Amino acid sequence: MDNLIEAIKQLKKEKNAVIMGHYYQRGEIQEIADYVGDSLALAQQAARTDADIIVMCGVHFMGETAKVLCPDKKVLVPDMAAGCSLADSCPADEFARFVEEHPGYTVISYVNTTAAVKALTDVVVTSTNARQIVESFPKDEKIIFGPDRNLGGYINSVTGRDMLIWDGACHVHEQFSVEKMVEIKRAHPDAVVLAHPECKSTILKLADVVGSTAALLKYAVAHPEKSYIVATESGILHEMKKQCLQTTFIPAPPADSTCACNECSFMRLNTLEKLYDCLKNESPEIKVDAEIAAKAVKPIKRMLEISAKLGL
Ligand code: 13P
Ligand code: SF4
């Protein structure tokens, strides 16, 4: 393992590569990454890096976003099969029809989408900035929000909007059950419940804090004296525990106790071995059709500009 880590570091240096990792990655990948962050931070880092190669340790749409922002750089992913059930729940041709059926609507898409869906979008959001970006539009703006029905419903509820929502979801966040949550809350009555807005509204109602992975982490770091039940992909516990050494973090239990369903099987496809191979072989490489990229870059840059103005 130590040899592998050294070999990755050596290759990275030789090739002027940067390794980016999402909070849902395996701990050892988070440890070797130059930047670890949520979806927004990874897009921001990609936009500003001067590396020649970006290795995106996350899922496919994160690599696509980096490639669209940096068309002249090589963007690698350790495993091309690392997809996303939420992005898959919104095929571009069906979304295009939905948009066409609703003329006059502004299209806001979650970053968990393919570049082809982003190409149909006016502004991209992540869970860190979705609320503020929606609120930056007039109250009576007609908005289509896709693809996450839970995040969209949550934003509607906190902003009083009535966005038209695409019926998509993430299989990891959807599986948390109220029954199991009530049980674990009863066992840990003083624990603060942190939940990601991709969870169902019934779970969000049981939460004390709802936010993106970065927001949940920030809350825990600001209040290390508390204990936490964490309703999101359990990879985030790595950074939480690292930053709050004395704090107790309890992953929200999967609905089915025989599976590790609170882990994203796509995120976990990336391993140190695959990271080494992809740097060595400069493959698999993310490619995005030039016409799609030219359209998709606009709503992504718009998101980055609004986020910068909002100080996010
Ligand atoms: P954030 O990184 O924006 O919290 O989103 C979580 C997610 O589902 C990434 O796939
Ligand atoms: Fe997609 Fe859900 Fe996995 Fe995030 S956790 S990458 S939304 S499947």
PDB file of all heavy atoms in Angstrom, residues 22 24 37-40 59 61-62 110 112 126-128 173 196 198 212-214 267, ligand 1:
ATOM      1  N   HIS A  22     -14.066  13.399  -4.166  1.00  0.00           N
ATOM      2  CA  HIS A  22     -15.323  13.780  -3.490  1.00  0.00           C
ATOM      3  C   HIS A  22     -15.347  13.179  -2.088  1.00  0.00           C
ATOM      4  O   HIS A  22     -14.705  12.163  -1.831  1.00  0.00           O
ATOM      5  CB  HIS A  22     -16.532  13.306  -4.322  1.00  0.00           C
ATOM      6  CG  HIS A  22     -17.835  13.846  -3.806  1.00  0.00           C
ATOM      7  ND1 HIS A  22     -18.609  13.158  -2.897  1.00  0.00           N
ATOM      8  CD2 HIS A  22     -18.475  15.015  -4.046  1.00  0.00           C
ATOM      9  CE1 HIS A  22     -19.682  13.891  -2.615  1.00  0.00           C
ATOM     10  NE2 HIS A  22     -19.629  15.021  -3.300  1.00  0.00           N
ATOM     11  N   TYR A  24     -17.385  11.403  -0.784  1.00  0.00           N
ATOM     12  CA  TYR A  24     -17.943  10.042  -0.730  1.00  0.00           C
ATOM     13  C   TYR A  24     -16.941   8.978  -1.179  1.00  0.00           C
ATOM     14  O   TYR A  24     -17.272   7.793  -1.249  1.00  0.00           O
ATOM     15  CB  TYR A  24     -19.176   9.923  -1.640  1.00  0.00           C
ATOM     16  CG  TYR A  24     -20.386  10.737  -1.243  1.00  0.00           C
ATOM     17  CD1 TYR A  24     -21.417  10.959  -2.149  1.00  0.00           C
ATOM     18  CD2 TYR A  24     -20.522  11.271   0.031  1.00  0.00           C
ATOM     19  CE1 TYR A  24     -22.545  11.691  -1.812  1.00  0.00           C
ATOM     20  CE2 TYR A  24     -21.650  12.010   0.373  1.00  0.00           C
ATOM     21  CZ  TYR A  24     -22.660  12.212  -0.545  1.00  0.00           C
ATOM     22  OH  TYR A  24     -23.765  12.935  -0.217  1.00  0.00           O
ATOM     23  N   GLY A  37     -13.564  17.599  -1.659  1.00  0.00           N
ATOM     24  CA  GLY A  37     -14.636  18.568  -1.497  1.00  0.00           C
ATOM     25  C   GLY A  37     -15.973  18.057  -1.961  1.00  0.00           C
ATOM     26  O   GLY A  37     -16.116  16.890  -2.353  1.00  0.00           O
ATOM     27  N   ASP A  38     -16.956  18.954  -1.915  1.00  0.00           N
ATOM     28  CA  ASP A  38     -18.287  18.621  -2.436  1.00  0.00           C
ATOM     29  C   ASP A  38     -18.302  18.929  -3.932  1.00  0.00           C
ATOM     30  O   ASP A  38     -17.290  19.376  -4.507  1.00  0.00           O
ATOM     31  CB  ASP A  38     -19.390  19.358  -1.647  1.00  0.00           C
ATOM     32  CG  ASP A  38     -19.378  20.862  -1.871  1.00  0.00           C
ATOM     33  OD1 ASP A  38     -18.412  21.391  -2.462  1.00  0.00           O
ATOM     34  OD2 ASP A  38     -20.341  21.520  -1.457  1.00  0.00           O
ATOM     35  N   SER A  39     -19.439  18.724  -4.548  1.00  0.00           N
ATOM     36  CA  SER A  39     -19.509  18.887  -6.006  1.00  0.00           C
ATOM     37  C   SER A  39     -19.146  20.311  -6.442  1.00  0.00           C
ATOM     38  O   SER A  39     -18.491  20.495  -7.458  1.00  0.00           O
ATOM     39  CB  SER A  39     -20.925  18.578  -6.503  1.00  0.00           C
ATOM     40  OG  SER A  39     -21.351  17.358  -6.016  1.00  0.00           O
ATOM     41  N   LEU A  40     -19.582  21.295  -5.657  1.00  0.00           N
ATOM     42  CA  LEU A  40     -19.278  22.680  -6.025  1.00  0.00           C
ATOM     43  C   LEU A  40     -17.777  22.940  -5.932  1.00  0.00           C
ATOM     44  O   LEU A  40     -17.169  23.464  -6.874  1.00  0.00           O
ATOM     45  CB  LEU A  40     -20.046  23.665  -5.117  1.00  0.00           C
ATOM     46  CG  LEU A  40     -19.738  25.145  -5.361  1.00  0.00           C
ATOM     47  CD1 LEU A  40     -20.135  25.567  -6.783  1.00  0.00           C
ATOM     48  CD2 LEU A  40     -20.417  26.042  -4.342  1.00  0.00           C
ATOM     49  N   VAL A  59     -17.585  10.579  -9.552  1.00  0.00           N
ATOM     50  CA  VAL A  59     -18.367   9.833 -10.549  1.00  0.00           C
ATOM     51  C   VAL A  59     -18.321  10.573 -11.892  1.00  0.00           C
ATOM     52  O   VAL A  59     -17.812  11.691 -11.983  1.00  0.00           O
ATOM     53  CB  VAL A  59     -19.810   9.582 -10.066  1.00  0.00           C
ATOM     54  CG1 VAL A  59     -19.810   8.593  -8.899  1.00  0.00           C
ATOM     55  CG2 VAL A  59     -20.514  10.865  -9.688  1.00  0.00           C
ATOM     56  N   PHE A  61     -20.253  12.244 -13.948  1.00  0.00           N
ATOM     57  CA  PHE A  61     -20.696  13.622 -14.236  1.00  0.00           C
ATOM     58  C   PHE A  61     -19.704  14.644 -13.681  1.00  0.00           C
ATOM     59  O   PHE A  61     -19.588  15.755 -14.203  1.00  0.00           O
ATOM     60  CB  PHE A  61     -22.131  13.872 -13.731  1.00  0.00           C
ATOM     61  CG  PHE A  61     -22.272  14.055 -12.249  1.00  0.00           C
ATOM     62  CD1 PHE A  61     -21.972  15.268 -11.638  1.00  0.00           C
ATOM     63  CD2 PHE A  61     -22.725  13.026 -11.443  1.00  0.00           C
ATOM     64  CE1 PHE A  61     -22.111  15.440 -10.268  1.00  0.00           C
ATOM     65  CE2 PHE A  61     -22.870  13.184 -10.074  1.00  0.00           C
ATOM     66  CZ  PHE A  61     -22.550  14.397  -9.488  1.00  0.00           C
ATOM     67  N   MET A  62     -18.985  14.295 -12.626  1.00  0.00           N
ATOM     68  CA  MET A  62     -17.991  15.219 -12.056  1.00  0.00           C
ATOM     69  C   MET A  62     -16.807  15.367 -13.024  1.00  0.00           C
ATOM     70  O   MET A  62     -16.272  16.456 -13.212  1.00  0.00           O
ATOM     71  CB  MET A  62     -17.498  14.708 -10.704  1.00  0.00           C
ATOM     72  CG  MET A  62     -18.594  14.687  -9.668  1.00  0.00           C
ATOM     73  SD  MET A  62     -18.052  13.944  -8.120  1.00  0.00           S
ATOM     74  CE  MET A  62     -19.562  14.148  -7.169  1.00  0.00           C
ATOM     75  N   TYR A 110     -29.576  20.338 -11.389  1.00  0.00           N
ATOM     76  CA  TYR A 110     -28.600  19.911 -10.385  1.00  0.00           C
ATOM     77  C   TYR A 110     -27.354  19.431 -11.142  1.00  0.00           C
ATOM     78  O   TYR A 110     -27.455  18.896 -12.254  1.00  0.00           O
ATOM     79  CB  TYR A 110     -29.233  18.758  -9.608  1.00  0.00           C
ATOM     80  CG  TYR A 110     -28.584  18.365  -8.309  1.00  0.00           C
ATOM     81  CD1 TYR A 110     -27.894  19.275  -7.514  1.00  0.00           C
ATOM     82  CD2 TYR A 110     -28.706  17.054  -7.839  1.00  0.00           C
ATOM     83  CE1 TYR A 110     -27.342  18.895  -6.314  1.00  0.00           C
ATOM     84  CE2 TYR A 110     -28.155  16.660  -6.628  1.00  0.00           C
ATOM     85  CZ  TYR A 110     -27.461  17.587  -5.879  1.00  0.00           C
ATOM     86  OH  TYR A 110     -26.918  17.192  -4.691  1.00  0.00           O
ATOM     87  N   ASN A 112     -25.692  16.923 -10.718  1.00  0.00           N
ATOM     88  CA  ASN A 112     -25.742  15.462 -10.932  1.00  0.00           C
ATOM     89  C   ASN A 112     -26.547  15.139 -12.188  1.00  0.00           C
ATOM     90  O   ASN A 112     -27.615  14.527 -12.142  1.00  0.00           O
ATOM     91  CB  ASN A 112     -26.391  14.753  -9.736  1.00  0.00           C
ATOM     92  CG  ASN A 112     -25.628  14.919  -8.449  1.00  0.00           C
ATOM     93  OD1 ASN A 112     -25.137  16.007  -8.158  1.00  0.00           O
ATOM     94  ND2 ASN A 112     -25.523  13.872  -7.672  1.00  0.00           N
ATOM     95  N   THR A 126     -25.633  23.196  -7.314  1.00  0.00           N
ATOM     96  CA  THR A 126     -25.262  22.038  -6.488  1.00  0.00           C
ATOM     97  C   THR A 126     -26.084  22.166  -5.207  1.00  0.00           C
ATOM     98  O   THR A 126     -26.782  23.166  -5.002  1.00  0.00           O
ATOM     99  CB  THR A 126     -23.756  22.025  -6.132  1.00  0.00           C
ATOM    100  OG1 THR A 126     -23.528  23.034  -5.151  1.00  0.00           O
ATOM    101  CG2 THR A 126     -22.883  22.254  -7.345  1.00  0.00           C
ATOM    102  N   SER A 127     -25.927  21.188  -4.317  1.00  0.00           N
ATOM    103  CA  SER A 127     -26.727  21.279  -3.088  1.00  0.00           C
ATOM    104  C   SER A 127     -26.239  22.416  -2.185  1.00  0.00           C
ATOM    105  O   SER A 127     -26.962  22.868  -1.318  1.00  0.00           O
ATOM    106  CB  SER A 127     -26.725  19.942  -2.346  1.00  0.00           C
ATOM    107  OG  SER A 127     -25.428  19.415  -2.295  1.00  0.00           O
ATOM    108  N   THR A 128     -25.017  22.906  -2.417  1.00  0.00           N
ATOM    109  CA  THR A 128     -24.508  24.033  -1.622  1.00  0.00           C
ATOM    110  C   THR A 128     -25.152  25.357  -2.030  1.00  0.00           C
ATOM    111  O   THR A 128     -25.371  26.225  -1.191  1.00  0.00           O
ATOM    112  CB  THR A 128     -22.962  24.115  -1.776  1.00  0.00           C
ATOM    113  OG1 THR A 128     -22.393  23.047  -1.015  1.00  0.00           O
ATOM    114  CG2 THR A 128     -22.396  25.430  -1.280  1.00  0.00           C
ATOM    115  N   HIS A 173     -29.649   7.962  -1.224  1.00  0.00           N
ATOM    116  CA  HIS A 173     -30.372   8.853  -0.307  1.00  0.00           C
ATOM    117  C   HIS A 173     -31.834   8.473  -0.146  1.00  0.00           C
ATOM    118  O   HIS A 173     -32.436   8.746   0.886  1.00  0.00           O
ATOM    119  CB  HIS A 173     -30.220  10.299  -0.776  1.00  0.00           C
ATOM    120  CG  HIS A 173     -28.836  10.832  -0.571  1.00  0.00           C
ATOM    121  ND1 HIS A 173     -27.848  10.679  -1.510  1.00  0.00           N
ATOM    122  CD2 HIS A 173     -28.260  11.439   0.489  1.00  0.00           C
ATOM    123  CE1 HIS A 173     -26.730  11.206  -1.044  1.00  0.00           C
ATOM    124  NE2 HIS A 173     -26.954  11.675   0.168  1.00  0.00           N
ATOM    125  N   HIS A 196     -28.697  15.123   4.115  1.00  0.00           N
ATOM    126  CA  HIS A 196     -28.477  15.717   2.795  1.00  0.00           C
ATOM    127  C   HIS A 196     -29.836  15.909   2.127  1.00  0.00           C
ATOM    128  O   HIS A 196     -30.710  15.041   2.253  1.00  0.00           O
ATOM    129  CB  HIS A 196     -27.597  14.771   1.951  1.00  0.00           C
ATOM    130  CG  HIS A 196     -27.006  15.419   0.752  1.00  0.00           C
ATOM    131  ND1 HIS A 196     -27.733  15.619  -0.404  1.00  0.00           N
ATOM    132  CD2 HIS A 196     -25.773  15.935   0.527  1.00  0.00           C
ATOM    133  CE1 HIS A 196     -26.941  16.218  -1.295  1.00  0.00           C
ATOM    134  NE2 HIS A 196     -25.750  16.419  -0.756  1.00  0.00           N
ATOM    135  N   GLU A 198     -30.897  15.372  -0.676  1.00  0.00           N
ATOM    136  CA  GLU A 198     -31.323  14.312  -1.610  1.00  0.00           C
ATOM    137  C   GLU A 198     -32.161  13.244  -0.892  1.00  0.00           C
ATOM    138  O   GLU A 198     -32.718  12.359  -1.538  1.00  0.00           O
ATOM    139  CB  GLU A 198     -30.105  13.652  -2.273  1.00  0.00           C
ATOM    140  CG  GLU A 198     -29.423  14.524  -3.311  1.00  0.00           C
ATOM    141  CD  GLU A 198     -28.162  13.880  -3.863  1.00  0.00           C
ATOM    142  OE1 GLU A 198     -28.057  12.645  -3.881  1.00  0.00           O
ATOM    143  OE2 GLU A 198     -27.245  14.631  -4.265  1.00  0.00           O
ATOM    144  N   SER A 212     -25.693  20.380   2.104  1.00  0.00           N
ATOM    145  CA  SER A 212     -24.764  19.639   1.244  1.00  0.00           C
ATOM    146  C   SER A 212     -23.713  18.964   2.123  1.00  0.00           C
ATOM    147  O   SER A 212     -23.605  19.263   3.325  1.00  0.00           O
ATOM    148  CB  SER A 212     -24.069  20.621   0.301  1.00  0.00           C
ATOM    149  OG  SER A 212     -23.300  21.524   1.070  1.00  0.00           O
ATOM    150  N   THR A 213     -22.916  18.103   1.533  1.00  0.00           N
ATOM    151  CA  THR A 213     -21.862  17.440   2.302  1.00  0.00           C
ATOM    152  C   THR A 213     -20.957  18.488   2.969  1.00  0.00           C
ATOM    153  O   THR A 213     -20.625  18.353   4.151  1.00  0.00           O
ATOM    154  CB  THR A 213     -21.008  16.518   1.404  1.00  0.00           C
ATOM    155  OG1 THR A 213     -20.671  17.224   0.207  1.00  0.00           O
ATOM    156  CG2 THR A 213     -21.755  15.265   1.033  1.00  0.00           C
ATOM    157  N   ALA A 214     -20.612  19.546   2.224  1.00  0.00           N
ATOM    158  CA  ALA A 214     -19.732  20.577   2.790  1.00  0.00           C
ATOM    159  C   ALA A 214     -20.432  21.302   3.942  1.00  0.00           C
ATOM    160  O   ALA A 214     -19.806  21.613   4.961  1.00  0.00           O
ATOM    161  CB  ALA A 214     -19.320  21.564   1.706  1.00  0.00           C
ATOM    162  N   MET A 267     -19.447   5.409  -6.357  1.00  0.00           N
ATOM    163  CA  MET A 267     -18.310   6.128  -5.765  1.00  0.00           C
ATOM    164  C   MET A 267     -17.229   5.152  -5.316  1.00  0.00           C
ATOM    165  O   MET A 267     -16.039   5.428  -5.437  1.00  0.00           O
ATOM    166  CB  MET A 267     -18.796   6.944  -4.557  1.00  0.00           C
ATOM    167  CG  MET A 267     -19.583   8.175  -4.932  1.00  0.00           C
ATOM    168  SD  MET A 267     -18.442   9.507  -5.358  1.00  0.00           S
ATOM    169  CE  MET A 267     -19.598  10.840  -5.683  1.00  0.00           C
TER     170      MET A 267
HETATM  171  P1  13P B   1     -22.694  17.372  -2.729  1.00  0.00           P
HETATM  172  O1  13P B   1     -21.301  17.017  -2.972  1.00  0.00           O
HETATM  173  O2  13P B   1     -23.062  18.615  -3.480  1.00  0.00           O
HETATM  174  O3  13P B   1     -23.072  17.466  -1.299  1.00  0.00           O
HETATM  175  O4  13P B   1     -23.616  16.242  -3.394  1.00  0.00           O
HETATM  176  C1  13P B   1     -23.634  14.978  -3.013  1.00  0.00           C
HETATM  177  C2  13P B   1     -23.729  14.016  -4.127  1.00  0.00           C
HETATM  178  O5  13P B   1     -24.671  13.315  -4.277  1.00  0.00           O
HETATM  179  C3  13P B   1     -22.617  13.852  -5.025  1.00  0.00           C
HETATM  180  O6  13P B   1     -22.885  12.797  -5.806  1.00  0.00           O
END
